Structure formats: structure tokens, C-alpha cells
Amino acid sequence: AQKVTQAQTEISVVEKEDVTLDCVYETRDTTYYLFWYKQPPSGELVFLIRRNSFDEQNEISGRYSWNFQKSTSSFNFTITASQVVDSAVYFCALNGGATNKLIFGTGTLLAVQP
Amino acid sequence: KAGVTQTPRYLIKTRGQQVTLSCSPISGHRSVSWYQQTPGQGLQFLFEYFSETQRNKGNFPGRFSGRQFSNSRSEMNVSTLELGDSALYLCASSLGGYNSPLHFGNGTRLTVT
């Protein structure tokens, strides 16, 4: 069975702090994809990144960075120098096999205080 | 490029009624997926359509159905509404290849009273 666990329900930080959102996944597939989405109060899920199971290189995009470690089945997301606009719910998701069905974690609510 | 458009944004229905939600995908996207989001169950996959055919289905009762038209627009129908159907229904489109990033709309907030 496939499963995504986001143990952090809520995180509150002060602006300019760095914050890491954890994601642990379970799958028996050898080929799979991992995603991060952001859900602001407006409701839509905004795609942030996709990583396949064969690519363990870390990725950096501006203030965002992702650390993928197959050995620990983790795909963590770090925001550097957080800003109030980063406040949202962040979801980690898994997709295995020939399908477009995403298995989502329960999400982490990030509140960045000014 | 216009994003995924869902209508209506809000709906209030009574138990036992039926409802139809609409989704217009990003131009050129051929796959449309539907997800239900509730505080208790989180985000759950309903079904996916590609070229007017249902390609994948989640674990929801037959009261939940959908279809896709030749212009890739999709509708989702829920019959005999129950209180537990109250949720945010999100539509997502993609180019269609497996594991393509999904692009979501703002959702339709359904309240069943």
C-alpha cells in the first residue's frame, strides 16, 4: 500500500526564519514520483515540484529547496528566510505506477508571523 | 494562459438532492482528475478522465460519477446527497502523460444541509 506521512500538523515561525517541512512515504513501487503542493487560503493547490525515484539530487529554487533521500523514504521541503506570503498548507504527494492518482499526506499548516 | 476553472465556487444543497460540478481544464490539457477534500479524510482521489474515457477511479460509491466532453471539459455529479458529501471538490488538469504535474482549480465548496 502507498502512504504519505506529514507528521507536522502546524508550524509557526517568525518572518525570516528557515523552516523545514517533513514528508515520509511508503511504496512498494520501484518507480514512483513525489510532489509538493501549496494550498493558500484561496483553495487551489499550487504545484511546486516533482521528483522521480531515480533522481536523488537535491533541488533549489529561490528560497525553496528539497531534500530527497531514498534510504529514509523522505522528501523534505525547506523554505529559507520565510515570508508572510509563504503562509499556507503544504502537501506532499506520491504517485506510483502508470497512473495519475496522487496519494496526499495530511498537510502541514505553515503560519509565518510578521 | 488561463488556469483550471471550476464552477460554481459555492453550492448549498439539501440531503437527497443531486448536484453537478463543472471543470474547464487548461487549454491543451487532455486529462482531468477530481479530488475531494474534507477535514477528516483529507485529499482523496475520485476519478480521472482522459480523452472522454475514465482512466482511473478511487474508492467512492457509485453516487459519484463524472464525464468528460470532447473539448476536455469535465463534469462531476453526485446523486442522493448525504451530509458527509460536504467538502471542497477540486478539479485538476494535466497534459495526460502518467505522473504529469496536476494543475488544480480553486475548487467548488459543497455544503449539504
Side-chain angles (χ1 to χ4, degrees):
Chain A
Q2 298 183 326
K3 185 179 178 182
V4 175
T5 300
Q6 294 180 257
Q8 303 153 309
T9 305
E10 292 185 37
I11 299 176
S12 182
V13 298
V14 177
E15 212 170 14
K16 297 184 183 177
E17 280 187 44
D18 298 346
V19 57
T20 295
L21 310 181
D22 298 332
C23 173
V24 175
Y25 62 91
E26 297 174 30
T27 181
R28 294 179 183 174
D29 294 312
T30 53
T31 301
Y32 53 89
Y33 288 77
L34 295 163
F35 301 79
W36 275 96
Y37 283 86
K38 173 183 179 180
Q39 187 175 39
S42 53
E44 84 277 20
L45 286 161
V46 178
F47 167 71
L48 295 177
I49 189 171
R50 178 185 66 174
R51 172 69 68 213
N52 73 52
S53 51
F54 297 106
D55 183 1
E56 288 195 69
Q57 281 192 337
N58 292 335
E59 177 144 347
I60 298 175
S61 176
R63 296 183 297 105
Y64 295 171
S65 63
W66 291 269
N67 180 267
F68 175 35
Q69 292 193 339
K70 284 180 76 171
S71 60
T72 56
S73 296
S74 65
F75 187 40
N76 296 336
F77 173 29
T78 297
I79 301 174
T80 302
S82 59
Q83 301 176 1
V84 173
V85 294
D86 295 327
S87 297
V89 181
Y90 290 86
F91 290 93
C92 180
L94 168 68
N95 185 339
T99 174
N100 273 333
K101 174 183 175 181
L102 288 179
I103 305 297
F104 283 91
T106 50
T108 297
L109 172 61
L110 174 64
V112 182
Q113 311 296 334
Chain B
K1 205 175 199 182
V4 177
T5 304
Q6 291 188 246
T7 56
R9 286 299 308 274
Y10 302 93
L11 267 177
I12 300 176
K13 291 287 187 179
T14 304
R15 266 183 306 176
Q17 289 185 317
Q18 76 167 18
V19 66
T20 298
L21 313 182
S22 181
C23 173
S24 293
I26 292 172
S27 177
H29 285 192
R30 297 171 63 191
S31 166
V32 173
S33 301
W34 289 88
Y35 287 79
Q36 182 196 63
Q37 185 176 25
T38 60
Q41 300 299 317
L43 280 155
Q44 293 187 288
F45 172 78
L46 281 156
F47 29 65
E48 183 210 2
Y49 287 86
F50 179 80
S51 293
E52 301 179 65
T53 300
Q54 188 179 83
R55 190 158 70 171
N56 208 343
K57 189 177 187 304
N59 297 323
F60 279 81
R63 300 186 297 106
F64 292 82
S65 63
R67 59 177 176 169
Q68 186 180 33
F69 302 95
S70 58
N71 61 359
S72 293
R73 191 176 68 84
S74 176
E75 287 182 348
M76 190 192 102
N77 186 275
V78 187
S79 62
T80 318
L81 284 165
E82 300 177 359
L83 294 179
D85 297 333
S86 295
L88 179 65
Y89 290 89
L90 291 161
C91 168
S93 73
S94 74
L95 289 171
Y98 290 128
N99 303 302
S100 298
L102 301 184
H103 299 272
F104 287 81
N106 287 339
T108 293
R109 173 77 62 186
L110 172 65
T111 302
V112 182
T113 61

